[in-house]
Amino acid sequence: MRVLKIKVWQDSAHFRVPHTTRTLQTLPVPMFSTALGFLCTPLGEDGRKRLLEGIQLAIYSRHTAGFEDRIWHRNMSIKQHLGRFGSRESRLADNRAEHPGGQSPVTIERLHDVTTVIYAICDAGVMSELERIFSDGSMSLSLGLAEDTVLVREARVMDFGNDPEPFHGKVDFFSWLPERNDGKGLPSNYGEFFSRIPGNTKLVSSRYSIVNVGGVAVRDFTYSRCKLFSPRGLPVSFTEQYSFYIDHAEKIPLWFAVQGEVAQ
């Protein structure tokens, strides 16, 4: 089985928890939709279509520390401007000139020293193209916020053969553990494995289509039910083994999640 592996490093990153506002909370690992956007960015339209046909993803991320940024979110709303300054012509508050419009203090949770590894099963031609693009380092890419630029540590197509291997031990990454067992390389007893892993179940955004709602074009996402896997020792059973495709360099068992088709 051939798999595209992209390993990147970031000095800092923010993977936003949806619907958080005054304090923008971060997840410890990017959602599938974030990884899909990252892989689609360097491709043309045809390449993006081929990438998304039956793609499966496994994502792993770790960091050494967390911290908070405090910034001002600004907008050009006339209503907000009038509420702050009292008239369209004024930009003075407490006799000091300010940015027009409105502004709100926002706290952003951020991760420091972030390593993320993305594994993708997709079209063979697209795999080769992405391997070349990410390897030559000619593009400036980000993962998370636009300013969260990445340094590509590794980009290659790996061949795992046909037989998954038993895995025991520790995984030093956060990850999304899919509830469904239709990903490649998952064991026949995956349901038992999933039930024995502690973690909160979340809906993880995946692919989207553009739909019209009240005359406004919005993104309509599909979601995968997954557990948020935290670094910990995996369950060990003397009667049952759990076999996966394994990246021995990273000591990672690969649990792939199928990225669902989007209704047209």
mmCIF file of all heavy atoms in Angstrom, residues 79-124:
data_model
loop_
_atom_site.group_PDB
_atom_site.id
_atom_site.type_symbol
_atom_site.label_atom_id
_atom_site.label_comp_id
_atom_site.label_asym_id
_atom_site.label_seq_id
_atom_site.Cartn_x
_atom_site.Cartn_y
_atom_site.Cartn_z
ATOM 1 N N LYS A 79 -21.826 50.816 12.155
ATOM 2 C CA LYS A 79 -22.481 50.763 13.457
ATOM 3 C C LYS A 79 -21.461 50.735 14.584
ATOM 4 O O LYS A 79 -21.602 51.455 15.593
ATOM 5 C CB LYS A 79 -23.384 49.530 13.523
ATOM 6 C CG LYS A 79 -24.123 49.387 14.846
ATOM 7 C CD LYS A 79 -25.004 48.142 14.843
ATOM 8 C CE LYS A 79 -25.721 47.981 16.191
ATOM 9 N NZ LYS A 79 -26.562 46.750 16.204
ATOM 10 N N GLN A 80 -20.426 49.918 14.433
ATOM 11 C CA GLN A 80 -19.385 49.845 15.451
ATOM 12 C C GLN A 80 -18.607 51.155 15.539
ATOM 13 O O GLN A 80 -18.234 51.604 16.635
ATOM 14 C CB GLN A 80 -18.431 48.692 15.138
ATOM 15 C CG GLN A 80 -19.037 47.314 15.252
ATOM 16 C CD GLN A 80 -19.356 46.934 16.679
ATOM 17 O OE1 GLN A 80 -18.700 47.388 17.606
ATOM 18 N NE2 GLN A 80 -20.382 46.116 16.869
ATOM 19 N N HIS A 81 -18.382 51.791 14.386
ATOM 20 C CA HIS A 81 -17.669 53.065 14.374
ATOM 21 C C HIS A 81 -18.457 54.137 15.126
ATOM 22 O O HIS A 81 -17.898 54.873 15.955
ATOM 23 C CB HIS A 81 -17.418 53.508 12.931
ATOM 24 C CG HIS A 81 -16.621 54.768 12.828
ATOM 25 N ND1 HIS A 81 -15.250 54.774 12.712
ATOM 26 C CD2 HIS A 81 -17.006 56.082 12.838
ATOM 27 C CE1 HIS A 81 -14.813 56.018 12.654
ATOM 28 N NE2 HIS A 81 -15.867 56.836 12.711
ATOM 29 N N LEU A 82 -19.768 54.219 14.844
ATOM 30 C CA LEU A 82 -20.599 55.218 15.515
ATOM 31 C C LEU A 82 -20.668 54.950 17.016
ATOM 32 O O LEU A 82 -20.677 55.892 17.823
ATOM 33 C CB LEU A 82 -22.008 55.223 14.911
ATOM 34 C CG LEU A 82 -22.108 55.730 13.457
ATOM 35 C CD1 LEU A 82 -23.529 55.550 12.936
ATOM 36 C CD2 LEU A 82 -21.690 57.185 13.361
ATOM 37 N N GLY A 83 -20.713 53.677 17.399
ATOM 38 C CA GLY A 83 -20.745 53.360 18.813
ATOM 39 C C GLY A 83 -19.473 53.749 19.531
ATOM 40 O O GLY A 83 -19.509 54.094 20.722
ATOM 41 N N ARG A 84 -18.367 53.731 18.816
ATOM 42 C CA ARG A 84 -17.079 54.067 19.432
ATOM 43 C C ARG A 84 -16.800 55.565 19.399
ATOM 44 O O ARG A 84 -16.319 56.137 20.381
ATOM 45 C CB ARG A 84 -15.955 53.318 18.700
ATOM 46 C CG ARG A 84 -14.545 53.604 19.198
ATOM 47 C CD ARG A 84 -14.308 53.078 20.574
ATOM 48 N NE ARG A 84 -12.917 53.254 21.000
ATOM 49 C CZ ARG A 84 -12.507 53.125 22.246
ATOM 50 N NH1 ARG A 84 -13.368 52.811 23.206
ATOM 51 N NH2 ARG A 84 -11.238 53.294 22.565
ATOM 52 N N PHE A 85 -17.108 56.215 18.253
ATOM 53 C CA PHE A 85 -16.672 57.603 18.061
ATOM 54 C C PHE A 85 -17.814 58.615 18.026
ATOM 55 O O PHE A 85 -17.566 59.819 18.123
ATOM 56 C CB PHE A 85 -15.858 57.719 16.769
ATOM 57 C CG PHE A 85 -14.667 56.807 16.734
ATOM 58 C CD1 PHE A 85 -14.657 55.670 15.944
ATOM 59 C CD2 PHE A 85 -13.555 57.078 17.504
ATOM 60 C CE1 PHE A 85 -13.558 54.828 15.907
ATOM 61 C CE2 PHE A 85 -12.439 56.240 17.475
ATOM 62 C CZ PHE A 85 -12.445 55.111 16.679
ATOM 63 N N GLY A 86 -19.055 58.178 17.832
ATOM 64 C CA GLY A 86 -20.200 59.086 17.891
ATOM 65 C C GLY A 86 -20.579 59.722 16.581
ATOM 66 O O GLY A 86 -21.710 60.201 16.423
ATOM 67 N N SER A 87 -19.690 59.746 15.592
ATOM 68 C CA SER A 87 -20.013 60.311 14.279
ATOM 69 C C SER A 87 -19.131 59.666 13.227
ATOM 70 O O SER A 87 -18.058 59.120 13.539
ATOM 71 C CB SER A 87 -19.819 61.832 14.262
ATOM 72 O OG SER A 87 -18.444 62.162 14.275
ATOM 73 N N ARG A 88 -19.561 59.754 11.970
ATOM 74 C CA ARG A 88 -18.801 59.164 10.866
ATOM 75 C C ARG A 88 -17.443 59.844 10.689
ATOM 76 O O ARG A 88 -16.468 59.213 10.291
ATOM 77 C CB ARG A 88 -19.589 59.272 9.560
ATOM 78 C CG ARG A 88 -20.816 58.378 9.484
ATOM 79 C CD ARG A 88 -21.616 58.682 8.223
ATOM 80 N NE ARG A 88 -22.786 57.843 8.093
ATOM 81 C CZ ARG A 88 -22.835 56.734 7.338
ATOM 82 N NH1 ARG A 88 -21.771 56.349 6.658
ATOM 83 N NH2 ARG A 88 -23.928 56.007 7.276
ATOM 84 N N GLU A 89 -17.395 61.161 10.953
ATOM 85 C CA GLU A 89 -16.197 61.937 10.660
ATOM 86 C C GLU A 89 -15.121 61.782 11.725
ATOM 87 O O GLU A 89 -13.944 62.032 11.469
ATOM 88 C CB GLU A 89 -16.554 63.427 10.512
ATOM 89 C CG GLU A 89 -17.398 63.764 9.288
ATOM 90 C CD GLU A 89 -18.851 63.341 9.459
ATOM 91 O OE1 GLU A 89 -19.297 63.173 10.628
ATOM 92 O OE2 GLU A 89 -19.537 63.155 8.438
ATOM 93 N N SER A 90 -15.504 61.391 12.932
ATOM 94 C CA SER A 90 -14.546 61.362 14.036
ATOM 95 C C SER A 90 -13.808 60.032 14.113
ATOM 96 O O SER A 90 -14.360 58.974 13.828
ATOM 97 C CB SER A 90 -15.270 61.600 15.362
ATOM 98 O OG SER A 90 -14.370 61.449 16.454
ATOM 99 N N ARG A 91 -12.542 60.125 14.493
ATOM 100 C CA ARG A 91 -11.749 58.943 14.830
ATOM 101 C C ARG A 91 -11.039 59.138 16.165
ATOM 102 O O ARG A 91 -10.067 58.458 16.457
ATOM 103 C CB ARG A 91 -10.706 58.672 13.740
ATOM 104 C CG ARG A 91 -11.264 58.075 12.452
ATOM 105 C CD ARG A 91 -10.167 57.848 11.434
ATOM 106 N NE ARG A 91 -9.042 57.103 11.994
ATOM 107 C CZ ARG A 91 -7.812 57.079 11.467
ATOM 108 N NH1 ARG A 91 -7.564 57.789 10.374
ATOM 109 N NH2 ARG A 91 -6.857 56.384 12.034
ATOM 110 N N LEU A 92 -11.551 60.075 16.954
ATOM 111 C CA LEU A 92 -10.924 60.391 18.233
ATOM 112 C C LEU A 92 -11.684 59.754 19.389
ATOM 113 O O LEU A 92 -12.904 59.886 19.491
ATOM 114 C CB LEU A 92 -10.859 61.911 18.434
ATOM 115 C CG LEU A 92 -9.967 62.695 17.468
ATOM 116 C CD1 LEU A 92 -10.069 64.176 17.762
ATOM 117 C CD2 LEU A 92 -8.520 62.224 17.569
ATOM 118 N N ALA A 93 -10.968 59.066 20.236
ATOM 119 C CA ALA A 93 -11.505 58.534 21.486
ATOM 120 C C ALA A 93 -10.514 58.893 22.578
ATOM 121 O O ALA A 93 -9.320 58.565 22.461
ATOM 122 C CB ALA A 93 -11.702 57.029 21.405
ATOM 123 N N ASP A 94 -10.999 59.589 23.609
ATOM 124 C CA ASP A 94 -10.113 60.106 24.661
ATOM 125 C C ASP A 94 -8.997 60.958 24.070
ATOM 126 O O ASP A 94 -7.836 60.906 24.504
ATOM 127 C CB ASP A 94 -9.522 58.949 25.486
ATOM 128 C CG ASP A 94 -10.582 58.130 26.192
ATOM 129 O OD1 ASP A 94 -11.596 58.717 26.600
ATOM 130 O OD2 ASP A 94 -10.391 56.898 26.306
ATOM 131 N N ASN A 95 -9.381 61.746 23.019
ATOM 132 C CA ASN A 95 -8.457 62.672 22.343
ATOM 133 C C ASN A 95 -7.281 61.968 21.666
ATOM 134 O O ASN A 95 -6.255 62.580 21.407
ATOM 135 C CB ASN A 95 -7.922 63.722 23.332
ATOM 136 C CG ASN A 95 -9.011 64.663 23.793
ATOM 137 O OD1 ASN A 95 -9.843 65.116 22.991
ATOM 138 N ND2 ASN A 95 -9.019 64.981 25.085
ATOM 139 N N ARG A 96 -7.489 60.680 21.338
ATOM 140 C CA ARG A 96 -6.449 59.935 20.620
ATOM 141 C C ARG A 96 -7.051 59.341 19.358
ATOM 142 O O ARG A 96 -8.145 58.783 19.376
ATOM 143 C CB ARG A 96 -5.876 58.813 21.496
ATOM 144 C CG ARG A 96 -5.230 59.318 22.788
ATOM 145 C CD ARG A 96 -4.784 58.176 23.667
ATOM 146 N NE ARG A 96 -3.753 57.350 23.036
ATOM 147 C CZ ARG A 96 -3.208 56.287 23.604
ATOM 148 N NH1 ARG A 96 -3.622 55.898 24.803
ATOM 149 N NH2 ARG A 96 -2.278 55.608 22.977
ATOM 150 N N ALA A 97 -6.326 59.485 18.243
ATOM 151 C CA ALA A 97 -6.793 58.936 16.968
ATOM 152 C C ALA A 97 -6.669 57.423 16.978
ATOM 153 O O ALA A 97 -5.653 56.868 17.412
ATOM 154 C CB ALA A 97 -5.993 59.518 15.815
ATOM 155 N N GLU A 98 -7.727 56.760 16.486
ATOM 156 C CA GLU A 98 -7.737 55.304 16.455
ATOM 157 C C GLU A 98 -8.108 54.807 15.065
ATOM 158 O O GLU A 98 -8.524 55.583 14.197
ATOM 159 C CB GLU A 98 -8.737 54.752 17.492
ATOM 160 C CG GLU A 98 -8.355 55.002 18.932
ATOM 161 C CD GLU A 98 -9.306 54.307 19.896
ATOM 162 O OE1 GLU A 98 -10.256 53.645 19.422
ATOM 163 O OE2 GLU A 98 -9.093 54.424 21.109
ATOM 164 N N HIS A 99 -7.984 53.494 14.881
ATOM 165 C CA HIS A 99 -8.395 52.829 13.646
ATOM 166 C C HIS A 99 -9.895 53.044 13.442
ATOM 167 O O HIS A 99 -10.665 52.959 14.395
ATOM 168 C CB HIS A 99 -8.084 51.338 13.776
ATOM 169 C CG HIS A 99 -8.324 50.542 12.533
ATOM 170 N ND1 HIS A 99 -9.572 50.122 12.147
ATOM 171 C CD2 HIS A 99 -7.453 50.077 11.592
ATOM 172 C CE1 HIS A 99 -9.474 49.426 11.030
ATOM 173 N NE2 HIS A 99 -8.207 49.373 10.672
ATOM 174 N N PRO A 100 -10.348 53.349 12.204
ATOM 175 C CA PRO A 100 -11.790 53.511 11.985
ATOM 176 C C PRO A 100 -12.536 52.200 12.151
ATOM 177 O O PRO A 100 -11.947 51.118 12.079
ATOM 178 C CB PRO A 100 -11.861 54.016 10.542
ATOM 179 C CG PRO A 100 -10.620 53.511 9.893
ATOM 180 C CD PRO A 100 -9.576 53.538 10.965
ATOM 181 N N GLY A 101 -13.835 52.302 12.362
ATOM 182 C CA GLY A 101 -14.657 51.107 12.524
ATOM 183 C C GLY A 101 -14.699 50.678 13.969
ATOM 184 O O GLY A 101 -14.767 51.494 14.883
ATOM 185 N N GLY A 102 -14.685 49.362 14.194
ATOM 186 C CA GLY A 102 -14.754 48.826 15.548
ATOM 187 C C GLY A 102 -13.579 47.940 15.842
ATOM 188 O O GLY A 102 -12.867 47.483 14.939
ATOM 189 N N GLN A 103 -13.328 47.704 17.095
ATOM 190 C CA GLN A 103 -12.245 46.810 17.485
ATOM 191 C C GLN A 103 -12.622 46.090 18.776
ATOM 192 O O GLN A 103 -13.305 46.643 19.629
ATOM 193 C CB GLN A 103 -10.931 47.560 17.660
ATOM 194 C CG GLN A 103 -10.987 48.729 18.624
ATOM 195 C CD GLN A 103 -9.692 49.525 18.619
ATOM 196 O OE1 GLN A 103 -8.816 49.292 17.788
ATOM 197 N NE2 GLN A 103 -9.552 50.445 19.542
ATOM 198 N N SER A 104 -12.188 44.818 18.861
ATOM 199 C CA SER A 104 -12.499 44.002 20.023
ATOM 200 C C SER A 104 -11.235 43.276 20.473
ATOM 201 O O SER A 104 -10.495 42.740 19.636
ATOM 202 C CB SER A 104 -13.572 42.966 19.694
ATOM 203 O OG SER A 104 -14.746 43.578 19.212
ATOM 204 N N PRO A 105 -10.983 43.235 21.772
ATOM 205 C CA PRO A 105 -9.830 42.466 22.263
ATOM 206 C C PRO A 105 -10.123 40.969 22.156
ATOM 207 O O PRO A 105 -11.191 40.506 22.531
ATOM 208 C CB PRO A 105 -9.706 42.916 23.719
ATOM 209 C CG PRO A 105 -11.085 43.329 24.104
ATOM 210 C CD PRO A 105 -11.723 43.886 22.858
ATOM 211 N N VAL A 106 -9.172 40.227 21.612
ATOM 212 C CA VAL A 106 -9.335 38.788 21.414
ATOM 213 C C VAL A 106 -8.095 38.064 21.924
ATOM 214 O O VAL A 106 -6.964 38.496 21.670
ATOM 215 C CB VAL A 106 -9.571 38.445 19.928
ATOM 216 C CG1 VAL A 106 -9.617 36.938 19.724
ATOM 217 C CG2 VAL A 106 -10.851 39.082 19.429
ATOM 218 N N THR A 107 -8.310 36.970 22.619
ATOM 219 C CA THR A 107 -7.225 36.105 23.076
ATOM 220 C C THR A 107 -7.160 34.878 22.168
ATOM 221 O O THR A 107 -8.178 34.246 21.889
ATOM 222 C CB THR A 107 -7.441 35.654 24.530
ATOM 223 O OG1 THR A 107 -7.482 36.802 25.384
ATOM 224 C CG2 THR A 107 -6.322 34.735 24.983
ATOM 225 N N ILE A 108 -5.964 34.555 21.694
ATOM 226 C CA ILE A 108 -5.775 33.399 20.817
ATOM 227 C C ILE A 108 -4.847 32.399 21.500
ATOM 228 O O ILE A 108 -3.716 32.742 21.852
ATOM 229 C CB ILE A 108 -5.170 33.801 19.456
ATOM 230 C CG1 ILE A 108 -6.047 34.823 18.741
ATOM 231 C CG2 ILE A 108 -4.978 32.575 18.568
ATOM 232 C CD1 ILE A 108 -5.502 35.254 17.398
ATOM 233 N N GLU A 109 -5.343 31.194 21.719
ATOM 234 C CA GLU A 109 -4.484 30.124 22.213
ATOM 235 C C GLU A 109 -3.586 29.629 21.085
ATOM 236 O O GLU A 109 -4.038 29.408 19.960
ATOM 237 C CB GLU A 109 -5.322 28.961 22.739
ATOM 238 C CG GLU A 109 -6.186 29.297 23.945
ATOM 239 C CD GLU A 109 -7.014 28.118 24.401
ATOM 240 O OE1 GLU A 109 -7.043 27.091 23.680
ATOM 241 O OE2 GLU A 109 -7.629 28.210 25.468
ATOM 242 N N ARG A 110 -2.303 29.447 21.406
ATOM 243 C CA ARG A 110 -1.363 29.008 20.381
ATOM 244 C C ARG A 110 -0.493 27.875 20.913
ATOM 245 O O ARG A 110 -0.292 27.739 22.136
ATOM 246 C CB ARG A 110 -0.488 30.172 19.900
ATOM 247 C CG ARG A 110 -1.293 31.309 19.285
ATOM 248 C CD ARG A 110 -0.394 32.344 18.631
ATOM 249 N NE ARG A 110 0.341 31.811 17.506
ATOM 250 C CZ ARG A 110 -0.163 31.660 16.274
ATOM 251 N NH1 ARG A 110 -1.408 32.001 16.026
ATOM 252 N NH2 ARG A 110 0.561 31.173 15.310
ATOM 253 N N LEU A 111 -0.007 27.062 19.989
ATOM 254 C CA LEU A 111 0.887 25.951 20.308
ATOM 255 C C LEU A 111 2.295 26.316 19.864
ATOM 256 O O LEU A 111 2.483 26.980 18.837
ATOM 257 C CB LEU A 111 0.442 24.674 19.594
ATOM 258 C CG LEU A 111 -1.028 24.275 19.758
ATOM 259 C CD1 LEU A 111 -1.357 23.090 18.856
ATOM 260 C CD2 LEU A 111 -1.351 23.962 21.218
ATOM 261 N N HIS A 112 3.286 25.882 20.635
ATOM 262 C CA HIS A 112 4.679 26.193 20.324
ATOM 263 C C HIS A 112 5.452 24.920 19.978
ATOM 264 O O HIS A 112 5.231 23.868 20.577
ATOM 265 C CB HIS A 112 5.341 26.899 21.509
ATOM 266 C CG HIS A 112 6.826 27.066 21.357
ATOM 267 N ND1 HIS A 112 7.409 27.810 20.343
ATOM 268 C CD2 HIS A 112 7.862 26.563 22.093
ATOM 269 C CE1 HIS A 112 8.719 27.772 20.458
ATOM 270 N NE2 HIS A 112 9.017 27.017 21.505
ATOM 271 N N ASP A 113 6.360 25.055 19.004
ATOM 272 C CA ASP A 113 7.226 23.946 18.588
ATOM 273 C C ASP A 113 6.364 22.755 18.160
ATOM 274 O O ASP A 113 6.354 21.700 18.792
ATOM 275 C CB ASP A 113 8.166 23.554 19.719
ATOM 276 C CG ASP A 113 9.205 22.519 19.307
ATOM 277 O OD1 ASP A 113 9.448 22.381 18.089
ATOM 278 O OD2 ASP A 113 9.765 21.848 20.200
ATOM 279 N N VAL A 114 5.656 22.941 17.051
ATOM 280 C CA VAL A 114 4.619 21.999 16.612
ATOM 281 C C VAL A 114 5.143 21.125 15.472
ATOM 282 O O VAL A 114 5.646 21.643 14.465
ATOM 283 C CB VAL A 114 3.357 22.747 16.140
ATOM 284 C CG1 VAL A 114 2.232 21.760 15.835
ATOM 285 C CG2 VAL A 114 2.908 23.764 17.189
ATOM 286 N N THR A 115 5.023 19.826 15.632
ATOM 287 C CA THR A 115 5.323 18.866 14.570
ATOM 288 C C THR A 115 4.031 18.170 14.169
ATOM 289 O O THR A 115 3.333 17.623 15.029
ATOM 290 C CB THR A 115 6.355 17.827 15.026
ATOM 291 O OG1 THR A 115 7.602 18.478 15.316
ATOM 292 C CG2 THR A 115 6.588 16.778 13.939
ATOM 293 N N THR A 116 3.713 18.209 12.893
ATOM 294 C CA THR A 116 2.505 17.561 12.375
ATOM 295 C C THR A 116 2.885 16.621 11.238
ATOM 296 O O THR A 116 3.683 16.984 10.368
ATOM 297 C CB THR A 116 1.494 18.610 11.866
ATOM 298 O OG1 THR A 116 1.159 19.506 12.928
ATOM 299 C CG2 THR A 116 0.224 17.940 11.361
ATOM 300 N N VAL A 117 2.326 15.429 11.284
ATOM 301 C CA VAL A 117 2.571 14.442 10.227
ATOM 302 C C VAL A 117 1.228 14.071 9.602
ATOM 303 O O VAL A 117 0.305 13.649 10.308
ATOM 304 C CB VAL A 117 3.261 13.179 10.765
ATOM 305 C CG1 VAL A 117 3.750 12.310 9.596
ATOM 306 C CG2 VAL A 117 4.421 13.528 11.689
ATOM 307 N N ILE A 118 1.122 14.255 8.299
ATOM 308 C CA ILE A 118 -0.100 13.950 7.551
ATOM 309 C C ILE A 118 0.191 12.774 6.621
ATOM 310 O O ILE A 118 1.154 12.809 5.839
ATOM 311 C CB ILE A 118 -0.572 15.163 6.729
ATOM 312 C CG1 ILE A 118 -0.857 16.354 7.644
ATOM 313 C CG2 ILE A 118 -1.817 14.812 5.905
ATOM 314 C CD1 ILE A 118 -1.146 17.643 6.891
ATOM 315 N N TYR A 119 -0.638 11.748 6.707
ATOM 316 C CA TYR A 119 -0.547 10.593 5.809
ATOM 317 C C TYR A 119 -1.799 10.579 4.946
ATOM 318 O O TYR A 119 -2.922 10.725 5.457
ATOM 319 C CB TYR A 119 -0.461 9.286 6.595
ATOM 320 C CG TYR A 119 0.747 9.183 7.497
ATOM 321 C CD1 TYR A 119 0.696 9.654 8.809
ATOM 322 C CD2 TYR A 119 1.934 8.599 7.053
ATOM 323 C CE1 TYR A 119 1.792 9.552 9.656
ATOM 324 C CE2 TYR A 119 3.039 8.490 7.896
ATOM 325 C CZ TYR A 119 2.955 8.982 9.198
ATOM 326 O OH TYR A 119 4.046 8.878 10.028
ATOM 327 N N ALA A 120 -1.620 10.404 3.645
ATOM 328 C CA ALA A 120 -2.754 10.435 2.721
ATOM 329 C C ALA A 120 -2.681 9.265 1.752
ATOM 330 O O ALA A 120 -1.613 8.972 1.190
ATOM 331 C CB ALA A 120 -2.782 11.747 1.944
ATOM 332 N N ILE A 121 -3.820 8.603 1.565
ATOM 333 C CA ILE A 121 -3.996 7.611 0.503
ATOM 334 C C ILE A 121 -4.851 8.275 -0.564
ATOM 335 O O ILE A 121 -5.992 8.665 -0.294
ATOM 336 C CB ILE A 121 -4.683 6.341 1.019
ATOM 337 C CG1 ILE A 121 -3.868 5.703 2.145
ATOM 338 C CG2 ILE A 121 -4.901 5.336 -0.110
ATOM 339 C CD1 ILE A 121 -4.563 4.534 2.818
ATOM 340 N N CYS A 122 -4.303 8.437 -1.752
ATOM 341 C CA CYS A 122 -5.027 9.159 -2.805
ATOM 342 C C CYS A 122 -4.490 8.731 -4.165
ATOM 343 O O CYS A 122 -3.739 7.756 -4.275
ATOM 344 C CB CYS A 122 -4.897 10.675 -2.607
ATOM 345 S SG CYS A 122 -3.198 11.298 -2.607
ATOM 346 N N ASP A 123 -4.882 9.460 -5.193
ATOM 347 C CA ASP A 123 -4.459 9.180 -6.559
ATOM 348 C C ASP A 123 -2.929 9.130 -6.651
ATOM 349 O O ASP A 123 -2.235 10.008 -6.124
ATOM 350 C CB ASP A 123 -5.013 10.274 -7.479
ATOM 351 C CG ASP A 123 -4.577 10.110 -8.913
ATOM 352 O OD1 ASP A 123 -5.258 9.387 -9.664
ATOM 353 O OD2 ASP A 123 -3.546 10.709 -9.287
ATOM 354 N N ALA A 124 -2.395 8.109 -7.329
ATOM 355 C CA ALA A 124 -0.949 7.900 -7.389
ATOM 356 C C ALA A 124 -0.235 9.071 -8.058
ATOM 357 O O ALA A 124 0.842 9.489 -7.610
ATOM 358 C CB ALA A 124 -0.644 6.594 -8.137
#
